[in-house]
Amino acid sequence: EGQLTVLRSLINSNAFFVEEVFVEDFLPADESRTNSGKDGSFAPVESGIFTTYKEFEQTIYETYTDEAAKNILAEFDMYTDIYGQLYINTRAKKINAKDYDWSNPEIKVNSAADGTYVMEITVKTEKGKDYSFEAKAVTVDGNIRLENIYY
């Protein structure tokens, strides 16, 4: 029961990152305070959730394995650290991804062996149909982490 609670929490965190941070939408920013440079136009994020880049990064590392977190931060590079604060590149483009309803995902653990959890996640499509995919989580230093960002 404890592992299922942790897995559900990780899937909910993944949903947050997909829906509000990296894929379907971005964290809100104060575009009136945009700084432009050769690498883009960056505005401070005003999410009420993360106040510093370190908090942002730490939450990603608490959800995903180290390798996955590094890949996510490299692939979705619209966020940056400017004097310790979290900024977003206002020129970043959203990814054209399917719009799933993550509000109540069904989680079925298909296997749980040697600290590796293989799950079937079922979410709803925008047309209300079920969409299922496999997700994997592993135990690292006593903590369960997702092996990838799922969207």
Side-chain angles (χ1 to χ4, degrees), residues 134-147:
E134 186 177 280
K136 229 174 168 182
V138 295
T139 303
V140 180
D141 298 327
N143 298 302
I144 303 172
R145 301 287 185 253
L146 292 174
E147 276 199 333

Side-chain angles (χ1 to χ4, degrees), residues 18-19 23-24 96-102 123-128 151:
V18 168
E19 292 182 315
V23 181
E24 294 175 18
N96 189 8
K98 300 230 186 272
D99 187 16
Y100 299 119
D101 178 0
W102 288 87
V123 293
K124 297 285 185 196
T125 67
E126 52 196 29
K127 294 180 178 167
Y151 60 92

Side-chain angles (χ1 to χ4, degrees), residues 50-82:
F50 307 109
T51 55
T52 66
Y53 185 84
K54 188 174 180 88
E55 286 176 345
F56 172 71
E57 192 178 56
Q58 182 179 346
T59 304
I60 294 168
Y61 277 89
E62 288 172 353
T63 304
Y64 303 99
T65 63
D66 284 358
E67 183 180 352
K70 285 177 195 152
N71 290 340
I72 290 164
L73 290 167
E75 180 181 350
F76 301 103
D77 61 352
M78 67 279 293
Y79 296 97
T80 194
D81 181 343
I82 298 179

